[in-house]
Amino acid sequence: MSDILKDAYSAERFRQQGHQLIDQLADYLESVRREEYSRGAIDYQSPDVALHQWSEDLKTAPNPETHHLFSQALLQSVRLLHPQYLGHQISPPVPVATLAGLLGDFLNNGMGVYEMGMAGTATERLVVQTVARQLGFPEEADGFITSGGTLANLTALLSARGRMAATNVWRDGQSGQLALMVSEEAHYCVDRAVRIMGWGDAGVIKIPADDRFCMRTELLTAYYHAAKAAGVEVIAVVGSACTTATGSFDDLDAIGNFCAEHDLWFHVDGAHGAALTFSEKYAGVIKGIEKADSVAMDFHKMLLTPSITTALIYRRGEDSYRTFSQQAQYLFNREEPEWFNMAKRTFECTKLMIGFKAYSIIRTYGLALFDEYVTLVCDLGRSLAALVRANPAFALAIEPFCNIVCFRYDAPGWDEEGLNQLNESIRQTLLEEGDFYLVQTRLRGRFYLRCTITNPFTKERDLEKLLHRISALAEQKMGIKVSHEP
Ligand SMILES: *Cc1c(COP(=O)(O)O)cnc(C)c1O
């Protein structure tokens, strides 16, 4: 073995670097817990500056030092654990699950066939069964863990096509016009899945949303009949639980009843909000999810698991074997479906032990941790909404359903365009200051600041500080603008 290979696999160096990294991360975690962390949620750098810095770093190669390497990456990443991180919908992972992830990376078992990931395959199945039971699915429910909500939604819709379409698209290719119905507010990946499947513009029938950005389910019947009359074969309805921009939950019960009545596949895009099933307090928000044929649920968003870990659960387990053929292989072969050879059902061939990360949490803390966490962040969503409502300088987009809250500074007498620019400029300044990290969205043409409260260390006090800072920035910016006017 060459020296360089020997060196790369040095057990001693791995031990030393590993200890050092865990210490770095634990120090950071401890400083956050003690509220002694001196930096903000983000140290923003422009793409060019970041690229330049890392180009300089790469010039030191070969360089066995990792302390600086890892602390640079830590500094130049958004810090989800920071109590003033209020940005995208991704949770700070529970440390034990990141260790499970490290183990999975180290083992690098391929998981496509059973023997290339025995522990990963068995633990994944137990996670799937736990979720299925929690959702209220029958005994025959089954599924798997896959790489993200986007892929899970596409996979589920392919299964739906395999079961519901009148022709065998898998074998014969596309003929006729297939379509699904979904809220106009749904995540863009549903639209994208439709186009990947070759259904085109006519394949996605967008149902208008109401004032709270929920699907107007009372319109489903009319849209369905209009599509049928135009020769379109509608095979599915996708419910959003919840929408990404505003965290709005469609009436899953109503969609479930509609699908049962018209023999349609009911898929729930629960990437963010299916996790509410674990909260005793908030589970009622997703009532009707138990009627779904398939549910996608991200563990990396609301369930404290490192990315990307998404459960895709089918109410009839056999449907999970239909994705990549019209009639499942096992029906041809008259063999039992092999739950343990995952690649028959997943897009992935090689797949890391992603289910093991979720398993490590359930095994260490039980489902009680999910209940507490989901309930806490949804409660904080309500607290932020209450603070916004109590301040006349702010306007709430909608009363939040969960931990996603959209609002904006609302200066009296300003026109829409002025308000949009003001809020956009506030969000840009907040990003550059870096104390807080939140994001933005446009709702029916209006610019809103968007928070997802996802960090168990966030306190109501942090939310008050945020509103305070926004007010100060708004006044400052309005002052400048007014003084510039002739
Ligand atoms: C985040 C999200 C997705 C995409 O999931 P990824 O895991 O990021 O691929 C899809 N749908 C909804 C409703 C989401 O919130």
Side-chain angles (χ1 to χ4, degrees):
M1 199 192 258
S2 69
D3 283 351
I4 188 165
L5 266 173
K6 256 192 227 154
D7 197 51
Y9 285 93
S10 155
E12 216 21 70
R13 176 165 296 161
F14 177 61
R15 192 188 308 279
Q16 180 249 328
Q17 290 174 333
H19 280 286
Q20 202 173 54
L21 173 61
I22 299 292
D23 281 341
Q24 271 172 293
L25 296 178
D27 287 348
Y28 158 54
L29 178 59
E30 189 167 82
S31 68
V32 168
R33 289 192 49 146
R34 289 193 183 157
E35 304 183 27
E36 285 167 358
Y37 197 64
S38 56
R39 291 175 178 271
I42 184 170
D43 287 309
Y44 181 75
Q45 284 185 324
S46 72
D48 289 340
V49 170
L51 187 60
H52 176 73
Q53 273 211 11
W54 286 102
S55 311
E56 291 301 308
D57 180 72
L58 190 57
K59 286 183 191 157
T60 68
N63 175 358
E65 184 283 335
T66 52
H67 186 266
H68 183 70
L69 170 68
F70 292 152
S71 31
Q72 282 293 99
L74 187 58
L75 281 178
Q76 293 183 28
S77 302
V78 70
R79 291 178 279 272
L80 305 187
L81 272 172
H82 196 285
Q84 287 164 194
Y85 171 88
L86 301 159
H88 291 284
Q89 305 149 263
I90 194 155
S91 45
V94 162
V96 72
T98 69
L99 294 176
L102 172 64
L103 178 71
D105 278 357
F106 190 95
L107 293 173
N108 214 20
N109 276 205
M111 294 267 297
V113 293
Y114 170 67
E115 68 260 24
M116 267 305 284
M118 297 171 290
T121 305
T123 50
E124 173 171 329
R125 183 163 181 82
L126 292 170
V127 171
V128 162
Q129 288 176 341
T130 303
V131 174
R133 220 173 299 132
Q134 188 72 31
L135 289 172
F137 276 179
E139 200 57 34
E140 57 177 321
D142 196 5
F144 43 81
I145 311 278
T146 189
S147 303
T150 299
L151 199 62
N153 286 327
L154 173 60
T155 310
L157 293 171
L158 285 167
S159 317
R161 189 183 69 178
R163 186 184 176 95
M164 309 301 290
T167 61
N168 186 337
V169 181
W170 188 261
R171 189 187 59 206
D172 303 332
Q174 193 77 28
S175 65
Q177 177 67 57
L178 294 170
L180 57 76
M181 303 198 286
V182 65
S183 160
E184 61 175 346
E185 292 294 328
H187 191 275
Y188 70 85
C189 71
V190 175
D191 185 277
R192 192 180 273 188
V194 164
R195 290 163 201 282
I196 290 169
M197 292 190 292
W199 302 358
D201 278 342
V204 55
I205 300 170
K206 298 217 167 130
I207 308 296
D210 64 17
D211 291 349
R212 270 183 105 187
F213 302 96
C214 305
M215 181 197 281
R216 290 181 57 195
T217 50
E218 76 279 10
L219 299 178
L220 280 170
T221 307
Y223 275 73
Y224 176 67
H225 287 301
K228 265 182 89 164
V232 174
E233 184 188 352
V234 179
I235 63 162
V237 183
V238 177
S240 300
C242 45
T243 66
T244 305
T246 54
S248 302
F249 287 76
D250 290 343
D251 182 344
L252 301 182
D253 209 45
I255 300 175
N257 291 339
F258 179 83
C259 287
E261 192 182 327
H262 297 277
D263 192 24
L264 301 172
W265 183 285
F266 175 25
H267 175 65
V268 174
D269 177 1
H272 182 86
L276 268 60
T277 190
F278 291 107
S279 164
E280 216 169 290
K281 181 169 174 184
Y282 288 96
V285 176
I286 52 168
K287 183 174 169 304
I289 200 166
E290 71 285 352
K291 296 181 175 169
D293 295 291
S294 53
V295 175
M297 174 200 280
D298 280 351
F299 272 81
H300 50 277
K301 283 192 176 153
M302 286 269 267
L303 296 171
L304 301 165
T305 307
S307 306
I308 41 179
T309 308
T310 302
L312 175 56
I313 315 287
Y314 296 80
R315 94 180 277 100
R316 292 169 301 272
E318 57 167 297
D319 284 341
S320 68
Y321 295 87
R322 287 177 192 274
T323 314
F324 300 110
S325 64
Q326 174 85 7
Q327 279 179 296
Q329 290 295 296
Y330 71 90
L331 291 179
F332 287 134
N333 296 345
R334 302 230 161 263
E335 281 172 15
E336 285 298 298
E338 295 177 330
W339 64 266
F340 44 83
N341 284 326
M342 302 312 295
K344 288 193 174 176
R345 294 186 283 167
T346 63
F347 260 99
E348 296 98 331
C349 175
T350 303
K351 183 177 89 176
L352 281 176
M353 299 167 66
I354 46 183
F356 184 64
K357 300 185 216 182
Y359 181 85
S360 73
I361 299 178
I362 298 170
R363 194 250 198 196
T364 310
Y365 304 104
L367 299 179
L369 183 72
F370 293 151
D371 184 1
E372 271 207 27
Y373 169 77
V374 172
T375 303
L376 175 68
V377 292
C378 290
D379 281 348
L380 280 168
R382 288 187 178 176
S383 304
L384 176 55
L387 291 171
V388 168
R389 234 185 295 105
N391 189 330
F394 288 97
L396 201 54
I398 58 160
E399 205 51 53
F401 290 80
C402 59
N403 59 336
I404 300 175
V405 185
C406 298
F407 63 97
R408 64 179 187 163
Y409 194 85
D410 195 17
W414 281 48
D415 62 15
E416 276 309 325
E417 205 31 54
L419 280 177
N420 286 347
Q421 282 171 14
L422 176 65
N423 281 279
E424 193 163 359
S425 157
I426 290 170
R427 140 75 195 166
Q428 185 60 30
T429 306
L430 287 171
L431 176 66
E432 286 162 18
E433 289 179 343
D435 290 333
F436 296 92
Y437 181 72
L438 47 79
V439 296
Q440 60 197 42
T441 190
R442 262 181 197 271
L443 304 174
R444 297 183 175 144
R446 293 178 169 190
F447 187 98
Y448 280 89
L449 304 168
R450 176 169 172 274
C451 289
T452 307
I453 299 155
T454 167
N455 186 339
F457 294 109
T458 300
K459 305 255 179 344
E460 198 164 313
R461 195 177 64 224
D462 297 303
L463 305 175
E464 281 166 3
K465 261 164 60 184
L466 170 67
L467 296 188
H468 208 76
R469 184 68 199 138
I470 294 173
S471 295
L473 284 175
E475 279 158 28
Q476 204 180 324
K477 287 171 191 290
M478 290 191 304
I480 291 165
K481 176 141 189 206
V482 170
S483 69
H484 280 182
E485 272 164 14

